[in-house]
Amino acid sequence: MKKTTLLTVLLSATMLTAANAADPIKIGVVTPLSGTYAGIGQQVRWGLDLATKEVNAAGGIMGRQIELIYEDEEANPSVAVQKADKLFQVNKVDFLTGTVNSASTVAVGQVAERANKLIATTVSFADDITGAKCSPNVFRVNARAGQQSAALAAWLAKDKPKAKVFFLGPDYLMGRSTVAAFKDAAEKSGASSLGEVFAPLDSKDYTQYFGQMRAARPQVLYTSVAGNDTVRLFSQMQEFGLMKDLLVLGASGTVTAQNLPAIGKAAEGFATGVGYSDEIDTPENKKFVEAFKAANKAAPDLYGADSYGLIYAYKAAVEKAQSTDTDKVRKALEDLKWQTPQGEKTLRAGDHQAVQTMYVVRVTGGKFMTVGQVSGADAIGPDTCPRF
């Protein structure tokens, strides 16, 4: 009788282990699939889908396939919180990514802490995410505003020394953070600031700010509007004659492969600091670009590349931890080094921010051309996270 019982227990345990091994690793994706940031969300999806397809074809993570579960957050933090909570509590996802709006990333990070789960953003720029509002449950694999600004300000100081700059940003966490970061970097490099305005997200009319811009008489405009907002801003500036003799700079999400065709000639000369360019001349990036184009009939931008790289970071961490347990994966992600299309990255343990080479790209002849580069060590800046 005892032998029968023991055999039953062992058989049950074996069946349970086999079942667990067969279960997919669930990754929730809360990202904008509609609204002004839908184009950015599309790149996020394309990058995640491609990497997941590759990992699953190669046997998955420790023999388990990855399952991506998408939810549309509409670039709305309150919607993002609801969708993230559903993914954690109902779908029982092991990990979460996809947030674009910086305020959404901060809010979803708080949901992750309550659920004892980890999240990583591949898009959000606001410095506070890995600074003053850092969380032990939040990682960022893309470059933050400070890293972008360090590269762009260094290039501006050479191209237009002691430039007079006016700022126009979207009125929420990302917009104010990017403007503050570039203003600080540019002033340290010799530029002077003439004024700043902030417009609501999804603004339809930017002409109300043009009088203040004309009165300031800037040589340079720095803006961090993104998505469809960029199309409207640049089109209206061109229509009102503001582009003449004005150098326009911006955050890396302002002009991208997604909205460049719609902006057209108004984007000519625009420059930005980025963590990725599809022009990076390495075998790894060429292979990635070719695969991305074949899968999506479109070139990758920084959002697609960083989302692609995240899947490989999570895979490396789970294999290092030999578990999907939150505490073990967190420890494995800290100081993790992994290969991405833009080269090796490191997730700094002190603030969970990726360290990477930064580039300056400029629209020339309708295409992004690389015009500058800064090392990861020179661009990263100090660790300001106060919580861990």
Side-chain angles (χ1 to χ4, degrees), residues 104-116:
S104 294
T105 297
V106 172
V108 169
Q110 294 170 351
V111 177
E113 279 202 49
R114 291 196 295 271
N116 191 32

Side-chain angles (χ1 to χ4, degrees), residues 50-51 54-55 307-317 336 338-339:
L50 178 59
E54 291 176 356
V55 169
S307 298
Y308 175 89
L310 171 65
I311 293 296
Y312 284 95
Y314 183 70
K315 177 179 184 291
L336 178 76
W338 84 107
Q339 292 298 321

Side-chain angles (χ1 to χ4, degrees), residues 33-337:
L33 300 175
S34 62
T36 191
Y37 287 171
I40 298 174
Q42 181 66 79
Q43 279 277 334
V44 170
R45 184 166 196 160
W46 283 340
L48 294 173
D49 284 351
L50 178 59
T52 296
K53 183 179 179 181
E54 291 176 356
V55 169
N56 284 344
I61 302 176
M62 296 193 305
R64 297 172 64 186
Q65 297 285 285
I66 300 173
E67 178 185 354
L68 300 176
I69 304 174
Y70 285 90
E71 291 284 352
D72 183 6
E73 61 113 299
E74 306 167 19
N76 183 324
S78 62
V79 175
V81 164
Q82 295 171 14
K83 298 296 179 67
D85 197 42
K86 172 182 175 291
L87 287 167
F88 286 135
Q89 304 303 330
V90 179
N91 299 97
K92 306 294 183 186
V93 299
D94 299 286
F95 188 75
L96 192 141
T97 186
T99 50
V100 169
N101 183 314
S102 292
S104 294
T105 297
V106 172
V108 169
Q110 294 170 351
V111 177
E113 279 202 49
R114 291 196 295 271
N116 191 32
K117 294 292 183 181
L118 301 177
I119 75 163
T121 181
T122 64
V123 175
S124 299
F125 297 156
D127 285 345
D128 279 358
I129 292 170
T130 49
K133 296 183 180 179
C134 65
S135 163
N137 291 54
V138 176
F139 289 81
R140 173 159 48 192
V141 300
N142 60 294
R144 59 182 172 81
Q147 291 165 282
Q148 299 170 19
S149 296
L152 189 58
W155 174 80
L156 177 63
K158 294 179 181 177
D159 189 76
K160 196 177 287 294
K162 299 181 180 179
K164 297 177 180 178
V165 187
F166 191 85
F167 300 85
L168 191 161
D171 192 12
Y172 74 104
L173 180 60
M174 180 277 282
R176 291 186 177 272
S177 178
T178 49
V179 165
F182 185 71
K183 187 177 181 180
D184 180 62
E187 289 180 347
K188 287 179 179 175
S189 300
S192 57
S193 303
L194 301 182
E196 60 188 44
V197 293
F198 293 92
L201 187 65
D202 202 22
S203 287
K204 300 296 187 293
D205 181 9
Y206 289 93
T207 62
Q208 60 187 299
Y209 309 108
F210 290 174
Q212 191 172 344
M213 287 173 55
R214 286 187 190 279
R217 303 178 65 182
Q219 297 171 301
V220 175
L221 172 69
Y222 175 88
T223 181
S224 51
V225 299
N228 295 332
D229 288 357
T230 306
V231 179
R232 289 188 284 268
L233 172 62
F234 278 50
S235 299
Q236 292 168 16
M237 286 179 60
Q238 187 176 49
E239 183 181 354
F240 278 73
L242 285 172
M243 290 295 197
K244 186 179 180 181
D245 299 327
L246 182 68
L247 172 61
V248 183
L249 310 178
S252 61
T254 296
V255 177
T256 69
Q258 293 297 298
N259 59 19
L260 181 56
I263 300 170
K265 291 183 179 179
E268 193 68 16
F270 172 85
T272 183
V274 293
Y276 173 76
S277 167
D278 62 358
E279 285 193 341
I280 295 173
D281 189 17
T282 63
E284 293 79 10
N285 187 50
K286 289 180 179 177
K287 180 181 177 182
F288 165 68
V289 172
E290 184 178 340
F292 195 97
K293 286 182 175 178
N296 305 307
K297 312 304 178 191
D301 64 16
L302 67 164
Y303 309 123
D306 285 329
S307 298
Y308 175 89
L310 171 65
I311 293 296
Y312 284 95
Y314 183 70
K315 177 179 184 291
V318 171
E319 290 176 345
K320 181 180 176 182
Q322 288 293 292
S323 172
T324 56
D325 175 78
T326 292
D327 292 339
K328 293 178 181 178
V329 173
R330 180 194 293 111
K331 186 176 181 181
L333 282 169
E334 292 176 340
D335 284 331
L336 178 76
K337 296 182 185 296

